[in-house]
Amino acid sequence: MIKADYLVIGSGVAGLTFAVKMAEKFPNRKVTIVTKGDEDESNTKYAQGGVAVVQDFEEDSFQKHIQDTLIAGDGICDRGVVEMVIKEGPQRLKELIVWGANFDLNSEGGFDLGKEGGHSEYRVVHHKDITGYEVERALLQRVHQLENVTLLAHHFAIDLITEHHLENKDTEKLSCYGAYVLDQKKGIILTIGAESTLLASGGIGLIYGHTTNPVIATGDGIAMAYRAKAKIKDMEFIQFHPTALYEAEGGSYFLISEAVRGFGAYLRNKEGYRFMPDYDDRAELASRDIVSQSIDNELKKTGDTHVFLDCTHLDLTAFKKHFPNIYEECLEYHIDIEKDWIPVVPASHYLCGGIVVDTDGKTSINNLFACGECSRTGLHGANRLASNSLLEALVYAHNIFKYLSKISHTSQQLDIPDWDDEGTIIPKEHVLIQHNLKQLQALMRDYVGIVRSNDRLNKAIAHLDLIYNEVEEFYKEAKITTTLCELRNMVNVAHLIIGQSLERKENRGGYFNLDNLK
Ligand code: FAD
Ligand code: SIN
């Protein structure tokens, strides 16, 4: 058994920020990070728009940012959490800069602030259109300077260790003692014991085939927490980003940042009609749920596969300076934004719900914490305000750090059994996993998309049961592999999304069910 004081599952902004803070403050304690891909692979790495933090206190205020967040969340944000996160923002951003992250400045030396949907002011601090790449780079650099942090890349967390794995333990009061982790290169399963475990395992985008997320976003942390019996909430609130690049073959869903609309781009249908003013006074800068639902409605009306983002009227030099990556990526697809409209379509982007945590990041299981996209803090309510996600991760990583710094440190001696895979075999038919994954993604796209109905959701449950049974049977017999575990996790998460969708009897934010109109 490997022993750590703090086990961190995930190396995006949430996991790395927490690890840096704990390791800096407690040089004698051991922080172990496990991450399933390359060390930088994460949703964080692809964040474009930036971090929403009030900076310009003449035009902007905490109050305005709070109000924008509450409006975007459509009435079900936790107001106390919203206030706390937004007021903490400037301090957390400063720390990130001390660790080496660079953000764009204006000609007066202040931050060059961007704007996105739902924001009433310019307040998005960014590094060109690759903010997440810069944040991830800086955090990894800091982590590698800290001797008490061990970062194990290509290590996949399979399950959390709780009383369910220990002999003679009362499963009424659950605690977490670490995790079983697959060393993906060696194919062996490690037992990592830890005093505190942090789930920082990110989102679920891959459950939908059409997503802006990279392939790591398979909801593993949420599924692990669910199997361990942690409280999970608000899973029906899937955020679809309105403007993912549309490709006829359905391959890439490269994101065209909302900041491009903040910069003045228009949404048009095939006929060239600018439709967003018909739906909302804020037009293209309405919150994301409204823009995605409006596009969905336009597509259903016209039978088209996509709409367009028109940047042709914008100052090209300024555009290229702010969005060099988007400009280049469009060129790769033979789209010259000076002349051509960009074909776009909504794609699954972010999960507003997740593992329920309090303001210290504590889950309903002792010694288990969650932070970042896998957690449900109450900040986002029914729809996340753009660029509030990186902010939330930074603030909650700090809160968990503060909480753990105050409680007394105890090294527990526990007899944790090793992973038992006796009787399992190396499966011959791995193609079945791909097959089931495709079925699951089609099911989520067709029945659990932007617009849902009870009939579609009930059909989805029935189809999902079949997939679930096949996957569970396979899981019991087969030697553990990453793809098999990811599929199993995605099935668990899909079950939560559909089940919690059926429980919501009113339309709010990102949740829209035709039967709730009746
Ligand atoms: P992630 O950054 O996704 O990190 C999760 C980590 O967990 C990864 O390292 C992953 O490999 C690891 N992991 C997962 N499962 C396991 C497992 N079983 N075992 C081991 N490791 C595991 N938000 C903003 O605020 N501003 C933006 O501008 C913005 N732009 C975005 C653009 C794109 C294209 C996308 C996809 C998202 C964007 N978001 C943005 C959302 C934001 O990037 C994410 O919500 C945030 O980065 C999540 O951080 P995280 O640390 O919680 O998770
Ligand atoms: C974007 O740049 O449009 C993404 C911002 C976000 O998801 O917060």
Side-chain angles (χ1 to χ4, degrees):
M1 184 170 96
I2 297 175
K3 275 196 170 171
D5 293 304
Y6 308 107
L7 171 63
V8 179
I9 300 174
S11 59
V13 60
L16 294 178
T17 304
F18 171 79
V20 167
K21 288 190 151 257
M22 290 312 295
E24 279 184 346
K25 168 106 187 204
F26 300 106
N28 296 326
R29 296 191 197 164
K30 198 174 153 198
V31 182
T32 299
I33 306 171
V34 294
T35 194
K36 67 178 174 177
D38 290 344
E39 62 178 18
D40 66 344
E41 195 53 1
S42 57
N43 275 6
T44 300
K45 182 180 168 186
Y46 300 94
Q48 293 186 357
V51 194
V53 186
V54 177
Q55 292 295 325
D56 173 3
F57 284 92
E58 275 175 24
E59 290 295 321
D60 201 3
S61 65
F62 287 140
Q63 211 42 49
K64 285 187 185 173
H65 190 181
I66 289 167
Q67 208 48 35
D68 292 345
T69 302
L70 294 172
I71 292 170
D74 204 7
I76 58 165
C77 299
D78 180 328
R79 193 184 182 102
V81 166
V82 173
E83 290 183 358
M84 179 274 289
V85 170
I86 284 165
K87 290 180 181 168
E88 279 280 311
Q91 204 44 41
R92 305 285 70 85
L93 183 77
K94 272 189 198 148
E95 264 167 5
L96 205 49
I97 293 167
V98 168
W99 293 330
N102 296 302
F103 296 98
D104 290 0
L105 302 179
N106 60 27
S107 52
E108 282 101 54
F111 289 112
D112 177 49
L113 300 174
K115 194 173 185 184
E116 294 178 51
H119 288 276
S120 55
E121 295 294 343
Y122 285 81
R123 64 168 75 97
V124 181
V125 176
H126 64 98
H127 180 98
K128 307 210 177 298
D129 53 355
I130 51 165
T131 307
Y133 186 89
E134 174 61 10
V135 167
E136 186 73 20
R137 182 204 62 73
L139 285 169
L140 277 172
Q141 181 177 296
R142 184 71 196 116
V143 155
H144 289 305
Q145 289 162 350
L146 293 160
E147 283 179 7
N148 52 337
V149 182
T150 307
L151 199 166
L152 300 172
H154 300 283
H155 280 65
F156 179 93
I158 304 167
D159 259 324
L160 297 168
I161 300 167
T162 64
E163 276 70 12
H164 295 112
H165 301 92
L166 308 180
E167 269 178 37
N168 306 323
K169 281 276 184 179
D170 177 5
T171 50
E172 287 297 301
K173 286 182 258 116
L174 289 174
S175 296
C176 179
Y177 304 99
Y180 291 113
V181 174
L182 172 68
D183 176 334
Q184 295 164 285
K185 292 206 164 147
K186 294 195 183 134
I188 51 172
I189 295 171
L190 311 172
T191 306
I192 305 188
E195 186 182 310
S196 303
T197 301
L198 175 69
L199 282 169
S201 47
I204 58 112
L206 219 74
I207 290 182
Y208 291 83
H210 57 311
T211 179
T212 62
N213 294 188
V215 293
I216 52 94
T218 54
D220 301 340
I222 297 168
M224 278 188 265
Y226 172 60
R227 289 195 295 269
K229 310 246 178 302
K231 228 168 142 184
I232 317 280
K233 206 175 156 195
D234 290 349
M235 296 294 287
E236 65 275 33
F237 297 122
I238 307 293
Q239 183 168 75
F240 290 84
H241 196 293
T243 55
L245 183 65
Y246 171 79
E247 246 209 304
E249 288 84 33
S252 147
Y253 286 95
F254 175 75
L255 184 72
I256 309 294
S257 174
E258 195 151 304
V260 172
R261 273 174 284 132
F263 196 75
Y266 298 142
L267 279 164
R268 299 189 187 280
N269 65 18
K270 199 170 60 187
E271 310 305 327
Y273 180 66
R274 192 181 157 211
F275 55 86
M276 271 316 296
D278 296 347
Y279 291 93
D280 194 286
D281 289 344
R282 295 166 294 176
E284 282 81 1
L285 285 181
S287 55
R288 227 167 249 183
D289 50 343
I290 294 172
V291 182
S292 287
Q293 286 164 14
S294 308
I295 296 175
D296 189 73
N297 195 44
E298 284 295 307
L299 296 180
K300 287 197 170 114
K301 261 185 355 202
T302 58
D304 293 338
T305 49
H306 56 281
V307 293
F308 293 92
L309 195 63
D310 176 6
C311 303
T312 56
H313 55 290
L314 302 176
D315 173 346
L316 186 67
T317 311
F319 186 97
K320 278 160 85 171
K321 190 162 175 252
H322 191 148
F323 306 108
N325 192 43
I326 292 174
Y327 178 77
E328 287 299 328
E329 189 75 19
C330 285
L331 280 184
E332 295 272 313
Y333 287 91
H334 308 291
I335 302 160
D336 178 353
I337 65 121
E338 198 178 8
K339 302 195 297 281
D340 306 321
W341 296 345
I342 309 170
V344 290
V345 73
S348 125
H349 182 65
Y350 184 83
L351 173 67
C352 299
I355 307 159
V356 175
V357 293
D358 65 10
T359 47
D360 295 323
K362 297 203 295 282
T363 68
S364 54
I365 296 180
N366 287 330
N367 307 331
L368 178 67
F369 299 79
C371 185
E373 192 165 339
C374 67
S375 69
R376 184 270 182 205
T377 62
L379 174 69
H380 308 308
N383 172 58
R384 174 178 65 100
L385 182 68
S387 287
N388 265 358
S389 171
L390 295 174
L391 172 69
E392 180 192 52
L394 292 170
V395 170
Y396 272 82
H398 176 75
N399 287 5
I400 301 168
F401 153 76
K402 253 191 344 193
Y403 172 80
L404 284 174
S405 301
K406 276 190 276 175
I407 63 166
S408 54
H409 183 57
T410 52
S411 268
Q412 314 171 61
Q413 295 296 328
L414 271 175
D415 199 11
I416 301 175
D418 280 338
W419 184 265
D420 180 9
D421 63 356
E422 227 181 83
T424 56
I425 51 160
I426 296 170
K428 291 193 190 84
E429 292 227 70
H430 259 291
V431 69
L432 289 179
I433 296 179
Q434 280 312 313
H435 188 216
N436 276 323
L437 174 61
K438 289 216 169 75
Q439 280 186 340
L440 175 69
Q441 290 174 330
L443 168 91
M444 295 303 285
R445 184 190 60 226
D446 296 342
Y447 297 123
V448 200
I450 296 175
V451 175
R452 300 175 205 167
S453 72
N454 290 345
D455 184 42
R456 282 186 216 163
L457 290 169
N458 282 319
K459 285 198 170 97
I461 281 280
H463 285 201
L464 188 68
D465 275 351
L466 299 176
I467 301 176
Y468 172 82
N469 289 335
E470 271 189 37
V471 172
E472 283 302 308
E473 210 172 296
F474 204 42
Y475 184 81
K476 276 186 207 120
E477 290 169 358
K479 288 242 178 285
I480 292 287
T481 65
T482 302
T483 45
L484 177 56
C485 290
E486 285 179 335
L487 175 63
R488 183 173 184 241
N489 290 335
M490 285 190 270
V491 170
N492 286 174
V493 171
H495 177 79
L496 284 163
I497 295 171
I498 302 168
Q500 296 192 3
S501 292
L502 279 165
E503 280 165 24
R504 182 156 290 278
K505 301 295 175 211
E506 53 167 14
N507 292 338
R508 272 197 191 263
Y511 183 69
F512 187 83
N513 182 327
L514 292 169
D515 290 296
N516 291 345
L517 295 174
K518 289 171 188 162

